């Protein structure tokens, strides 16, 4: 894999878009999330509205369920007199669990099939699945994917409760929830947290919760405080060479190359063009 | 799923076998591992030899690689004059990466296929794959599976370096390494550890390593200090009902049941017949 990356061209990479990148600043460091407005435009826009209003600042990580998700939001969301108001953001949104396959949406298909969907691959650096029969596509719940919690109603999500997958891909969630992006740096700040001991991994005591310092749109952060990153384009021959290098490992350690790969085992390389001294 | 478990019969469960159960006692608590001697008999026996000689006591967790493995062993293994001797245990073992399919080995096949193998299912409570063409079967690298680290040579593993999967199933390891069991309790003690910042997730400083208090065979621990557990038998109608309940979630939250499930998304229920007051 490293050989493939070493041979990559500058044009194989794209910089993250500051207007579609979130910084979740925790006491231990920064989580960088790339949004996927092509799949959940209303949810991405609503989250950006909340972020611009600093909605998440001082809220907390409420839930860490082993082999499943880390989730954050307002601890007082169920108490109307204490819950933080959503400001200009909508309290509920139309369900954006899948969208139409269109020509302008790139799709690099993987060759080895999938247990859950008829086709899987990558769209703009995000793991995606498709069903040509229905003409629909959706983002897949792989490790590091970022979604919008909701109650039982399909239209009850707003973006005020957000989660990241920290375990084996819970693909049963696909098409049941709005997936709105992917963590591109800092996963270990979410995956290595103490697991909650309450039902569904919620922390049982307020003091167990981890405070969120701030969530910001990269575009609203001074340039010197940003975390510039580049993502390998998933519609390039370089990316396909990388997939092939993972399907058939050529190093001496492997005795039986798998010859296959499943969607959520494909790494999507991220690099820093220059590390910031401020972080 | 809870309804299925509530309706289970006592005979649907089996107690863990003290002669095939390891207790990894860490400062924060106990990890319980069920061994799989049917798949890697030499490796299981060698580990038990080391455990009986208290080989692992005072050694350490050396490596925590995000979305991959937590690994422990002797920090000084590369320094012959300081490395802890293996005593009666073998320094190397024949490769046990797959074994023959035989009639005495139960196999509950899953209906939804697999990206990596022609058949997948469960054997004695362990996720397993099979290839009827070669007549071979092997354990699958799902979350919580327990394996034996090795160097580049296929026969270089002894059990002195052990790992547990803490991320999305790294199925490319299947048939490349001896898988010798599964964590049945205490995964959060291995999955929530700080990630190592060195290459492959190794801790860079000795003080970052987490000390192992002891590793014991359950049979060698006084009865009052054991952690009795029961595992749902995977060759029962109750288990198949559980699989079906996970393939098609019936609760109100799910809008689109997956209708399918992949091997590593199937939970293998574990329960405590009575919790010990000593832990």
């Amino acid at each position: 894999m490293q050989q493939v990356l070493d041979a990559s061209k500058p044009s194989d990479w794209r910089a993250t878009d500051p207007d579609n990148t979130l910084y979740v600043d925790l006491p231990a460091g920064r989580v960088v999330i790339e949004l996927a407005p092509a799949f959940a435009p209303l949810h991405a826009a609503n989250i950006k509205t909340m972020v611009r209003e600093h909605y998440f600042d001082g809220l907390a990580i409420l839930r860490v369920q082993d082999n499943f998700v880390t989730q954050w939001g307002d601890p007082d969301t169920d108490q109307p007199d204490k819950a933080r108001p959503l400001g200009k953001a909508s309290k509920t949104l139309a369900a954006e669990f899948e969208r139409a396959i269109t020509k302008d949406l790139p799709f690099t298909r993987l060759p080895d099939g999938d247990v859950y969907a008829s086709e899987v691959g990558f769209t703009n650096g995000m793991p995606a699945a498709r069903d040509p029969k229905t003409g629909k596509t959706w983002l897949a719940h792989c490790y590091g994917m970022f979604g919008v919690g909701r109650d039982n109603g399909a239209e009850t999500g707003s973006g005020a409760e957000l989660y990241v997958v920290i375990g084996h891909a819970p693909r049963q969630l696909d098409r049941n929830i709005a997936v709105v992006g992917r963590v591109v740096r800092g996963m270990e700040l979410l995956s290595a947290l103490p697991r909650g001991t309450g039902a569904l991994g919620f922390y049982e005591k307020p003091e167990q919760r981890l405070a969120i310092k701030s969530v910001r749109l990269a575009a609203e952060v001074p340039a010197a405080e940003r975390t510039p990153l580049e993502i390998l384009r998933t519609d390039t021959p370089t990316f396909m060479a990388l997939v092939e290098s993972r399907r058939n490992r050529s190093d001496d350690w492997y005795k039986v190359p798998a010859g296959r790969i499943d969607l959520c085992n494909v790494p999507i390389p991220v690099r820093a063009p220059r590390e910031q001294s401020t972080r």
Side-chain angles (χ1 to χ4, degrees), chain A residues 101-138:
Chain A
I101 297 170
T102 55
K103 286 187 179 172
D104 62 321
L105 208 63
F107 184 70
T108 302
R109 188 173 170 183
L110 285 178
D112 300 316
D114 182 66
V115 168
Y116 293 91
S118 54
E119 295 183 358
V120 291
F122 293 88
T123 296
N124 297 331
M126 305 271 168
R130 310 206 303 183
D131 183 350
K133 287 185 189 168
T134 63
K136 299 291 187 184
T137 181
W138 58 93

Side-chain angles (χ1 to χ4, degrees), chain A residues 3 14 48 56 90 94 100 121 131 134 147 160 164 170 172 187 260 266 271:
Chain A
Q3 290 171 339
R14 61 180 171 81
K48 286 166 67 170
F56 293 99
S90 297
D131 183 350
T134 63
V164 169
Q172 71 277 7
M187 264 308 292
R260 311 180 66 79
V266 177
R271 70 181 187 185

Side-chain angles (χ1 to χ4, degrees), chain A residues 49-123:
Chain A
T49 297
M50 284 185 275
V51 166
R52 286 199 185 94
E53 294 174 354
H54 300 181
Y55 171 79
F56 293 99
D57 298 16
L59 296 185
I61 292 175
L62 308 174
R63 174 190 186 192
V64 184
Q65 184 172 358
D66 194 58
N67 193 24
F68 195 47
V69 297
T70 289
Q71 187 169 318
W72 62 89
D74 182 354
D76 299 316
T77 191
D78 293 332
Q79 303 178 57
D81 54 326
K82 291 179 69 182
R84 189 175 291 198
L86 293 189
K88 292 175 190 164
S90 297
K91 291 181 181 173
T92 61
L93 296 168
E96 294 178 311
F97 303 163
E98 56 183 14
R99 58 155 285 169
I101 297 170
T102 55
K103 286 187 179 172
D104 62 321
L105 208 63
F107 184 70
T108 302
R109 188 173 170 183
L110 285 178
D112 300 316
D114 182 66
V115 168
Y116 293 91
S118 54
E119 295 183 358
V120 291
F122 293 88
T123 296

Side-chain angles (χ1 to χ4, degrees), chain A residues 17-277:
Chain A
D17 174 4
D19 281 317
N20 268 312
T21 303
L22 298 182
Y23 295 151
V24 180
D25 282 330
L26 302 173
R30 174 173 287 179
V31 179
V32 182
I33 295 173
E34 182 169 47
L35 294 173
F39 284 87
L42 298 175
H43 288 75
N46 214 47
I47 291 168
K48 286 166 67 170
T49 297
M50 284 185 275
V51 166
R52 286 199 185 94
E53 294 174 354
H54 300 181
Y55 171 79
F56 293 99
D57 298 16
L59 296 185
I61 292 175
L62 308 174
R63 174 190 186 192
V64 184
Q65 184 172 358
D66 194 58
N67 193 24
F68 195 47
V69 297
T70 289
Q71 187 169 318
W72 62 89
D74 182 354
D76 299 316
T77 191
D78 293 332
Q79 303 178 57
D81 54 326
K82 291 179 69 182
R84 189 175 291 198
L86 293 189
K88 292 175 190 164
S90 297
K91 291 181 181 173
T92 61
L93 296 168
E96 294 178 311
F97 303 163
E98 56 183 14
R99 58 155 285 169
I101 297 170
T102 55
K103 286 187 179 172
D104 62 321
L105 208 63
F107 184 70
T108 302
R109 188 173 170 183
L110 285 178
D112 300 316
D114 182 66
V115 168
Y116 293 91
S118 54
E119 295 183 358
V120 291
F122 293 88
T123 296
N124 297 331
M126 305 271 168
R130 310 206 303 183
D131 183 350
K133 287 185 189 168
T134 63
K136 299 291 187 184
T137 181
W138 58 93
L139 293 181
H141 275 84
C142 295
Y143 191 84
M145 294 301 283
F146 172 61
V148 174
R150 64 164 173 85
D151 293 331
N152 278 358
E155 305 191 351
T156 52
S158 69
E161 287 271 341
L162 296 165
Y163 68 89
V164 169
V165 173
I166 61 162
H168 185 79
R171 299 282 306 280
Q172 71 277 7
L173 298 178
D174 288 9
R175 296 190 289 162
N176 278 289
I177 203 161
V179 183
V180 71
R182 190 175 81 90
V183 173
V184 294
R185 179 166 279 198
M187 264 308 292
E188 68 284 1
L189 299 170
L190 301 173
S191 61
L193 297 174
R195 276 45 179 161
T197 50
L200 304 176
F202 278 91
Y203 289 128
E204 295 183 276
K205 298 174 186 172
E207 61 268 27
Q208 294 173 318
R209 298 172 186 149
L210 183 71
I212 292 172
K213 288 169 63 177
S214 66
V215 180
R216 291 285 182 277
L217 196 64
E220 301 208 329
V221 169
E225 294 170 25
R226 292 185 194 168
T227 304
L229 295 173
E230 291 181 341
I231 318 272
L232 187 69
R233 292 181 190 273
T234 49
D235 55 354
T236 57
T238 297
F239 181 72
M240 284 314 297
L242 178 141
V243 169
E244 183 52 32
S245 77
R246 303 289 283 197
R247 295 175 76 235
N248 288 293
R249 310 276 186 130
S250 59
D251 59 278
D252 288 341
W253 191 88
Y254 281 91
K255 305 309 170 192
V256 182
R260 311 180 66 79
I261 196 161
D262 84 280
L263 177 66
C264 296
N265 256 334
V266 177
I268 305 165
V270 177
R271 70 181 187 185
R274 54 182 196 288
E275 290 292 341
Q276 296 289 295
S277 59

